[in-house]
Amino acid sequence: MGKTIVEKIFAEHLVDVPFEDTQVIKLDAVFCHEITTPIAINDLVARGLDRVFDPDKIKAVIDHVTPAKDSKTATQGKILRDWARRHNIKDFFDIGRNGVCHALFPEKGFVRPGYTVIMGDSHTCTHGAFGAFAAGVGTTDLAVGILKGVCAFRTPQTMKVNITGKLQKGVYAKDLILSIISRIGVNGATGKVMEFTGDVVEELSMEARMTMCNMAVEAGGTCGICAPDMTTVEYLWPFIKDEFSSKEEALTQYSRYCADADAVYAETVEIDASEIVPMSTFGYKPDQVRPVSEMKGTAIDQVYIGSCTNGRIEDLRAAADVLKGKKIHDSIRAIVSPASPAIYAQALEEGIIKIFMDAGFCVTNPTCGACLGMSNGVLADGEVCVSTTNRNFSGRMGKGGMVHLVSPATAAASAISGQLDTAQ
Amino acid sequence: MKNFSGKVLFLDRDDINTDEIIPARYLTENSKEALQPYLLEDLEMTGFDPRQDIAGKAAIVTRDNFGCGSSREHAPWALEVNNINIVIGVGFARIFRQNMYNCGLMAVQLPSDTIEQLFARFAGKDTTVTTDFEKRKLVFSAGDQVEELEFELGGFDKALVEAGGWIGYADEKY
């Protein structure tokens, strides 16, 4: 019987099967940020277990509230910073070098095909774009990962999401994943890894694949995953060029993680990309999705472009294409947060930051801040935000606020119109 | 092992997410105890008032996909520091469910028609659940109404509850 991608990765990393249906796997990387890690650190210290399994496999960043907004967030940063120093964790990204974890860590080359990764953050599923198994976990799993380099999972099942057809102009990975979540529901992939396959996925850039995998958890998925191919190798080449004699050799090696032709899937979902149009959420759940064309005219107060879903260079380019030479509507305010310093620098070099500023956007440093209503763009009660982020839960960007999740192009078009609008 | 018996809070909705269980604005706290006043603060449901309805409860009965959204273990902690150590529902988000058992707490799954029956018979009444961990039985009672139910518990989940959580278990074994 053939194996899916995640089954191959688990087989290669298996440490123990303590009980039927439970697999303990070895971890290649443990990612940490300042919201969920400090309590794990304090817990380990209190238990007399203040150790790390391998400082080179632990990567840490301050990203959720940065620079700190108050004493409490400053303390969270300090606990993480002191711990990273104490354990000689070299890949620690402090203020000035920090970015949104799921944008920063991939661009540093920390994720490779076949890797197993955990982080105390539900959007860790993003890294499956590299053909890796990457899962969000709680603080206790994180603490054990830090201490022992292992994590326990139920034996994974795979849902195949096969995407064929052709994406129309002005339709993006965000529209695609919102459509998929709408189709299967917020509980549709619970306990399963979502393996994205098909011509459309093969043509997507790494950035677009990350957008897709990022929102797997919004359908309940453990991880989104894309088979490694030449696009993956090209992206990683600067980091792996000393390990392989050629890109072709790297591809051959990584291809061992591709699913077998006779792999068994718990479920298969077929998506025709040709039918998909720009989408927006309308309620408080990520599966409440409608074509933007049906929601045109919805009043808004703020536009936000950024986050681990859509704060990468390709996203900023798509928004800037719409904004170029135009101004945002008088009645709203707009914020853009490039997701990492490298993205920020690239956007400066390409003149994208100038386009945003000329249009009337506030440009902030890289941070998660507004996405979860912590800083840099929190909504007031009753306000509405068109946002490129990943969750429209009630109160997510501020108590009493409403969030409409859209692509960067739709966000930019809405900023110009002062109401929900498409770029098409 | 923790206490899994006591008064029941009924939350009649699917997909109650972790932002509703404990909003992100409280994630800057560095102790579990500090979360105590904020449990379910953003859950807006007709007839539910977190300040009145949580006090004295030891268990939650709810619908499907409870705990979806963020990975924050603050959600189980906020329950735990309010002495709620067991949530009973049709299903749970993966991370939330694992976080519960990792803390030595329980997330018990029952078939949707069984949960439906519990809501029909007990919601709105002063209901108590008594949990027999060894026999895997739950006894619901309110006045002269009594219902006894069996539940399933995986080997790993049982081991974590008995060990008081995953850190102790893993430190000994790996």
Side-chain angles (χ1 to χ4, degrees), chain B residues 10 50-52 54-55 72 108 112 114 116 124 127 141 143 146 154 163:
Chain B
F10 285 88
R51 281 159 301 186
Q52 285 182 13
I54 292 168
R72 65 190 68 157
V108 174
S112 59
T114 309
E116 181 59 48
T127 306
S141 60
V146 179

Side-chain angles (χ1 to χ4, degrees), chain A residues 111-416:
Chain A
V111 186
R112 309 285 167 79
Y115 265 27
T116 52
V117 184
I118 63 164
M119 183 174 196
D121 190 288
S122 61
H123 293 108
T124 307
C125 51
T126 309
H127 307 282
F130 291 84
F133 172 75
V137 297
T139 291
T140 300
D141 272 335
L142 180 70
V144 170
I146 288 168
L147 185 65
K148 297 284 177 178
V150 300
C151 195
F153 292 92
R154 283 182 160 181
T155 303
Q157 291 190 316
T158 308
M159 169 192 273
K160 181 176 186 167
V161 182
N162 192 43
I163 310 167
T164 52
K166 193 163 173 52
L167 273 183
Q168 294 176 42
K169 192 172 178 297
V171 179
Y172 298 88
K174 182 64 160 287
D175 302 305
L176 199 47
I177 190 65
L178 285 173
S179 305
I180 294 167
I181 297 165
S182 160
R183 168 99 160 259
I184 67 176
V186 291
N187 199 8
T190 300
K192 299 187 183 80
V193 170
M194 296 172 79
E195 192 177 303
F196 297 111
T197 64
D199 299 347
V200 172
V201 179
E202 286 167 26
E203 282 172 27
L204 292 179
S205 66
M206 288 312 298
E207 284 84 353
R209 291 179 194 182
M210 284 190 256
T211 300
M212 296 277 295
C213 291
N214 173 272
M215 290 192 71
V217 71
E218 308 312 332
T222 304
C223 180
I225 210 162
C226 299
D229 61 7
M230 199 40 111
T231 305
T232 322
V233 171
E234 292 280 1
Y235 184 101
L236 288 174
W237 190 244
F239 309 103
I240 60 174
K241 60 183 183 339
D242 296 336
E243 291 173 37
F244 301 102
S245 61
S246 66
K247 289 176 184 173
E248 288 67 30
E249 194 215 334
L251 182 59
T252 306
Q253 287 292 322
Y254 290 152
S255 294
R256 74 179 190 275
Y257 297 112
C258 293
D260 293 324
D262 59 344
V264 178
Y265 292 90
E267 199 177 338
T268 298
V269 177
E270 294 287 346
I271 301 285
D272 180 359
S274 315
E275 292 175 357
I276 292 171
V277 295
M279 293 290 187
S280 170
T281 57
F282 61 88
Y284 292 121
K285 295 198 300 173
D287 60 0
Q288 294 176 299
V289 175
R290 274 190 199 132
V292 180
S293 59
E294 291 177 18
M295 293 174 66
K296 268 190 184 177
T298 301
I300 62 175
D301 300 288
Q302 176 173 295
V303 168
Y304 182 81
I305 297 175
S307 86
C308 58
T309 315
N310 280 127
R312 299 186 183 83
I313 190 68
E314 210 171 76
D315 303 316
L316 304 193
R317 284 180 192 140
D321 278 349
V322 176
L323 288 169
K324 196 166 187 178
K326 301 203 172 79
K327 299 273 182 207
I328 65 166
H329 198 272
D330 285 345
S331 62
I332 64 137
R333 73 263 180 188
I335 300 164
V336 58
S337 176
S340 75
I343 295 164
Y344 202 143
Q346 180 74 24
L348 267 173
E349 199 178 301
E350 293 182 20
I352 290 171
I353 296 297
K354 184 164 186 334
I355 293 172
F356 276 112
M357 292 190 75
D358 287 349
F361 268 69
C362 164
V363 183
T364 83
N365 63 297
T367 179
C368 308
C371 171
L372 70 166
M374 291 192 90
S375 62
N376 283 23
V378 180
L379 301 177
D381 190 12
E383 287 192 324
V384 179
C385 185
V386 165
S387 178
T388 69
T389 54
N390 42 54
R391 286 201 176 120
N392 55 338
F393 295 164
S394 175
R396 173 75 178 179
M397 292 184 77
K399 194 169 169 69
M402 163 64 95
V403 181
H404 296 295
L405 304 176
V406 298
S407 76
T410 299
S414 303
I416 296 164

Side-chain angles (χ1 to χ4, degrees), chain B residues 8-27:
Chain B
V8 181
L9 172 64
F10 285 88
L11 298 176
D12 192 4
R13 214 196 76 195
D14 286 337
D15 308 317
I16 292 175
N17 65 59
T18 51
D19 278 70
E20 290 169 314
I21 299 169
I22 185 79
R25 56 187 172 274
Y26 303 119
L27 302 188

Side-chain angles (χ1 to χ4, degrees), chain A residues 122 136 186-187 190 217-218 220 391 393, chain B residues 11 13-22 40 43 60 62-76 79 87-100 107:
Chain A
S122 61
V186 291
N187 199 8
T190 300
V217 71
E218 308 312 332
R391 286 201 176 120
F393 295 164
Chain B
L11 298 176
R13 214 196 76 195
D14 286 337
D15 308 317
I16 292 175
N17 65 59
T18 51
D19 278 70
E20 290 169 314
I21 299 169
I22 185 79
L40 297 167
L43 180 64
I60 288 175
T62 185
R63 300 284 183 171
D64 205 357
N65 201 28
F66 187 83
C68 59
S70 145
S71 68
R72 65 190 68 157
E73 203 159 303
H74 304 68
L79 294 167
V87 181
I88 300 155
V90 178
F92 299 90
R94 178 193 64 88
I95 305 173
F96 176 83
R97 185 189 173 286
Q98 194 60 49
N99 287 345
M100 287 289 281

